[in-house]
Amino acid sequence: MTHESTAVGLASAYSNATTASGDWWRDAVIYQVYVRSFADSDGDGIGDLRGVRSRLPHLARLGVDAVWLTPFYVSPQADGGYDVADYRAVDPLFGDLADADELVRAAHALGLRVIVDVVPNHTSEQHPWFRAALAGEPGARERYLFRRGRGAEGELPPNDWESIFGGPAWTRVADGEWYLHLFAPEQPDLDWTHPEVMAEFDSVLRFWLDLGVDGFRIDVAHGMVKADGLPDIGRGAQATLIGSEPLPFFDQDGVHAIHRAWRRLLDSYEGPRRRIGVAEAWAPTSERLALYVRPDELHQAFNFRFLTCPWDPEAMRTVIDESLAATTAVGAPTTWVLSNHDVVRHVTRYGGGPRGLARARAAALLMLALPGSAYLYQGEELGLPEVTDLPATARQDPAFRRGRRQPIPTPRPEPDPQPAPGTRPAAETGPVPEAAPQTAPQTPETTGPEARTHTRPAAGTRPVPEAAPQAQVSTRPEAGGGVRPEAGSGDGPEAESGGGGDPGLPTAPEAEGQDGLRDGCRVPIPWAGAEPPYGFGPAGSWLPQPDAWAGLSVAAQTGDPHSTLELYRAALELRRALPGLGAPEAGGPADPRGMRWQSAPDGVLLFTRPGFACTLNTRPDPVELPAPGRPVLSSAPVETDGRTVRLPADSCTWWTP
C-alpha cells in the first residue's frame, strides 16, 4: 500500500509534561516573524504590528507555541530595525505602543506566547546617547568604544578588526577619534563595562516584560564584551571565522555575567507564563555554545550548526549527536533551525526546484522529530524558495551598499612604526588599499559615503524588475558559519543587477563580510490571490514578489493534503499528540534523551524515541528496508506492505508501533 504524505484527524491534546510544568520552551515550536514582510495593514507596502495581529490565527492553526518578532522599535532602518534609536517605543512604520500591547494580548488569547528582539550590542547612530557622544557631551563617549587611531596622526584604525558587513569595523569622527561598529557604521557598539549600559538594558527588559511579552531573543548575545586591549586578529576575511575560531570581539567569557544577571531578572517575573531568554550566539564549538544555556544563564541558544549542515547523513548525525551531548551536559534543551532572516532559504540551499523542495520537506520532519525546541522562519511552511533575481535597485540590505571591499590599512611592523596611509605590512599578501580609511562627519544627520536613507514604495507600487538572470546559489559557510548565496559563472555586478551594474557594488568572490544578499529571504510572503502582493496588504510590497508565487500562498495550499503547508500542520499536530516527541523523555542513565540510533542502509538515518521512529533517506534514489512500524506521516508517499518499506528519494517518514 502507498501511504500519502500527510496525516489528518490526529488528536489535538498536548501531552508533553513540560508544558504543564511551565518549562514550555523545552519542546516549543517558535515561529519567527520578520515584521516588515509578514502582513501590511495600512497599504504602505511594509508589514506592521496590526498586520501581524490580523494573521495570528494562521499561526494558531499551524500549531506553533510562540511567535518571535523582529525589531519594531524606533529606528532609521539602516539595518532593518537592528539599529535602534529608542528601545521603549514602536517605530511609526510599524504602528504604536498600543498596537504592540494589543498584539501581545491577542496572541495570548490564542494560546501563543510572544518573544521580542532586544539589540544590546549596539545602538543606532540616532540614539540620544550616540548623538551626545558626537556632540562632545562630557562622559557620553564612555558608553561606546571610542579610541584614538594609530599612525603618526591617528589616521589609521585602532586595530585590524573588520565589520561583519564588510570594510573596517571603525569609523573616524571629526575630532579624529574612531568608534567601533562590528556591523554597519550606523550601528555603534556599546561598551558593556560602563554601568549605565547594564542599568539601561535592565530597564528596557522590564519595560517589555511589564507589557506582557514572554521573553527575548538576544541579538548578538556573544558580542557585548570585547577582549581587553582590543588586540589585532592578524588576518583578513574575519567574518568567515565567526563560529569556527576564537575571536577577540565575539564569545568572550565576560558575556556570561550579563546573561546570568538577565536570567535573575527573567526569573523574578513569577506566574504561569515563564519568561525566557534566547541567545543568538556563535561559538567555535558546541561546548562553548552550551555555556550560554547553563542553569543560571539563558534558556535557549540557536543551534546554527544544524542550519549550516550539508545534505549528508553522516554530517547530520554528527551535528545532532554533538548538539544533544553539549546541551544535555548542562541540563538544557537543544534548539533546531533551518532558515532565518539572515540566510538563504533552505529550499534553495538544498538545491532548489523539486529536489530542493523535497529535501526541505524532509529536513523539516527530521528537525521536528528531534528532542528539544524548533524554530520556523516565516514562509518555510509554504515551501518558499529564495528570491535570487531581485533588482539591485530594490535591495535594502546594508551590506549590499557598502561598496567593494577594501583591505584595512595597518601599520608596518617594526622598525618602521609610521607607515603612510594606504599601505600594508610587507609580510601580508593582497592588494594595496585604493582608498583612505573611512571617516564620519561631525553629526549623524549627514552620514558620509554610506547610504543612510530608508525608502518605502508608494502605495500600490512595486519596483520594476531588471532583466536579471537567476543567480546560482550554493551552500558554503558565511559570516558566523551561516550560509550565503554564491554567484555562479558570470558573477559580478552584472550578474546581480541584470547588466550594466554599478561597478562599486560588492560581488560574492570579493566579499569578506556578508554578501549583502539577505533581501532574498525577506521578500513578503504570499497569503492569497493570483498576483502580487498576494494578500500581503492593500497595495504593493517593499520587495517585489515573484509572479510564480500564487500557487504557494496560504490560501492555495490550505486543504491540499500534498502541500507543504498541510505537511507542517500535520507534523505539528502529531508532535503534540505523540508522547515520544517534543521534550526529551526520561531514559536510562546511558541515554537521558530517550533517542537511539538504529542500523540503516547507507544514506539513511533511522532513530527511535519512545513509541516513535524516524527515517530519513538522503539518497537520490529509493531504498528498501524493514518497516520500523506503521507510517503516520511522510514528506513523500511511501510504499509498504507492513514488513518492508520503499522510502522515496530525499524523504523523511515518521512511524509508530
Side-chain angles (χ1 to χ4, degrees):
M1 64 175 260
T2 299
H3 182 82
E4 295 299 329
S5 60
T6 59
V8 295
L10 304 172
S12 60
Y14 201 156
S15 59
N16 287 323
T18 53
T19 300
S21 69
D23 292 346
W24 61 272
W25 69 89
R26 289 187 169 272
D27 61 350
V29 177
I30 300 173
Y31 187 100
Q32 180 190 357
V33 166
Y34 192 72
V35 175
R36 64 190 296 121
S37 297
F38 194 65
D40 170 26
S41 71
D42 57 12
D44 67 355
I46 297 175
D48 48 47
L49 296 182
R50 290 187 180 183
V52 175
R53 191 180 76 220
S54 72
R55 295 297 187 178
L56 289 176
H58 166 70
L59 303 184
R61 182 176 179 185
L62 183 62
V64 301
D65 301 292
V67 55
W68 152 33
L69 303 172
T70 55
F72 48 80
Y73 315 114
V74 171
S75 165
Q77 301 296 317
D79 183 23
Y82 284 93
D83 50 317
V84 182
D86 187 342
Y87 289 86
R88 297 177 183 82
V90 175
D91 195 292
L93 193 67
F94 303 121
D96 55 30
L97 197 58
D99 292 323
D101 181 69
E102 291 171 7
L103 190 160
V104 171
R105 293 174 183 273
H108 288 167
L110 290 170
L112 299 169
R113 292 173 172 86
V114 178
I115 296 170
V116 298
D117 250 305
V118 64
V119 188
N121 179 71
H122 48 263
T123 70
S124 165
E125 63 175 0
Q126 299 293 333
H127 191 282
W129 279 4
F130 196 70
R131 285 176 171 268
L134 292 187
E137 180 179 306
R141 290 192 180 183
E142 296 175 6
R143 303 181 185 118
Y144 295 89
L145 290 161
F146 279 84
R147 296 291 187 272
R148 298 297 300 177
R150 297 191 290 192
E153 304 295 333
E155 73 277 8
L156 300 175
N159 64 22
D160 67 355
W161 293 2
E162 296 173 355
S163 164
I164 308 305
F165 290 163
W170 296 90
T171 288
R172 199 178 190 190
V173 299
D175 64 8
E177 282 202 321
W178 299 74
Y179 68 88
L180 179 69
H181 51 86
L182 292 180
F183 296 89
E186 298 93 338
Q187 296 167 289
D189 278 46
L190 289 161
D191 185 348
W192 272 83
T193 65
H194 197 291
E196 289 184 25
V197 175
M198 187 70 179
E200 169 66 4
F201 277 89
D202 280 357
S203 175
V204 168
L205 296 186
R206 290 187 183 280
F207 178 88
W208 291 103
L209 290 169
D210 291 343
L211 186 132
V213 305
D214 300 282
F216 302 93
R217 177 264 192 185
I218 301 166
D219 185 62
V220 197
H222 54 304
M224 290 101 81
V225 174
K226 281 69 175 178
D228 290 343
L230 309 183
D232 283 340
I233 294 173
R235 57 186 291 191
Q238 295 163 11
T240 65
L241 308 178
I242 301 169
S244 61
E245 295 187 24
L247 292 168
F249 51 71
F250 279 163
D251 193 38
Q252 297 295 301
D253 289 339
V255 300
H256 297 289
I258 300 170
H259 299 318
R260 283 192 290 272
W262 284 353
R263 177 60 181 262
R264 292 192 294 271
L265 190 157
L266 291 166
D267 287 348
S268 71
Y269 281 76
E270 299 178 352
R273 292 185 297 104
R274 295 284 297 275
R275 317 299 177 91
I276 72 168
V278 182
E280 185 226 13
W282 294 98
T285 65
S286 295
E287 291 74 20
R288 288 288 302 180
L289 184 63
L291 298 179
Y292 291 82
V293 289
R294 287 176 288 189
D296 63 341
E297 293 197 33
L298 301 175
H299 299 77
Q300 293 183 344
F302 288 146
N303 184 1
F304 294 118
R305 290 189 64 206
F306 185 73
L307 182 152
T308 61
C309 187
W311 186 252
D312 174 83
E314 292 305 316
M316 289 178 173
R317 179 167 174 169
T318 296
V319 167
I320 291 168
D321 283 343
E322 291 180 354
S323 300
L324 288 170
T327 53
T328 298
V330 295
T334 303
T335 65
W336 313 101
V337 61
L338 291 168
S339 284
N340 63 36
H341 66 291
D342 283 331
V343 301
V344 173
R345 286 186 178 273
H346 58 281
V347 167
T348 302
R349 292 202 324 269
Y350 287 144
R355 170 173 287 185
L357 179 59
R359 290 176 172 179
R361 288 163 57 96
L365 289 193
L366 171 67
M367 175 179 71
L368 293 170
L370 293 170
S373 177
Y375 279 77
L376 310 180
Y377 178 52
Q378 66 175 45
E380 76 169 77
E381 78 276 19
L382 305 177
L384 296 185
E386 186 83 357
V387 180
T388 59
D389 59 353
L390 287 170
T393 53
R395 293 190 180 276
Q396 296 190 26
D397 185 345
F400 186 73
R401 300 295 176 186
R402 289 295 313 266
R404 288 186 180 271
R405 294 285 293 109
Q406 301 295 337
I408 296 177
T410 55
R412 291 182 185 275
E414 297 294 333
D416 181 8
Q418 298 181 3
T423 62
R424 294 174 69 92
E428 289 191 45
T429 60
V432 175
E434 301 172 5
Q438 178 183 12
T439 59
Q442 296 184 19
T443 64
E445 286 80 0
T446 56
T447 52
E450 307 299 333
R452 308 281 181 103
T453 57
H454 170 66
T455 58
R456 69 174 80 177
T461 65
R462 301 172 65 224
V464 178
E466 301 175 22
Q470 183 156 332
Q472 299 282 331
V473 178
S474 67
T475 302
R476 64 184 174 103
E478 165 55 349
V483 214
R484 65 181 175 186
E486 180 178 17
S489 60
D491 58 352
E494 292 76 20
E496 175 57 42
S497 64
D502 181 348
L505 293 179
T507 60
E510 296 178 344
E512 295 177 8
Q514 290 178 344
D515 284 336
L517 306 181
R518 295 176 298 169
D519 292 311
C521 65
R522 301 174 178 183
V523 173
I525 65 175
W527 292 96
E531 60 185 23
Y534 303 116
F536 169 67
S541 58
W542 69 283
L543 286 173
Q545 300 161 300
D547 292 330
W549 272 14
L552 297 179
S553 71
V554 173
Q557 295 194 46
T558 295
D560 177 358
H562 303 291
S563 71
T564 301
L565 175 59
E566 293 297 348
L567 177 70
Y568 270 75
R569 285 173 172 169
L572 293 180
E573 191 173 1
L574 266 175
R575 185 180 163 96
R576 290 173 178 258
L578 296 176
L581 289 181
E585 295 296 319
D591 189 355
R593 299 182 301 274
M595 172 182 162
R596 292 173 174 82
W597 295 104
Q598 309 295 336
S599 61
D602 289 344
V604 175
L605 293 180
L606 169 58
F607 67 84
T608 58
R609 299 180 66 188
F612 174 82
C614 177
T615 55
L616 176 74
N617 179 18
T618 66
R619 291 163 50 165
D621 54 285
V623 61
E624 291 189 1
L625 70 158
R630 178 177 64 89
V632 292
L633 185 64
S634 180
S635 63
V638 296
E639 299 177 6
T640 180
D641 59 7
R643 297 184 300 275
T644 61
V645 60
R646 181 177 172 85
L647 298 177
D650 297 322
S651 70
C652 186
T653 305
W654 289 2
W655 309 80
T656 57

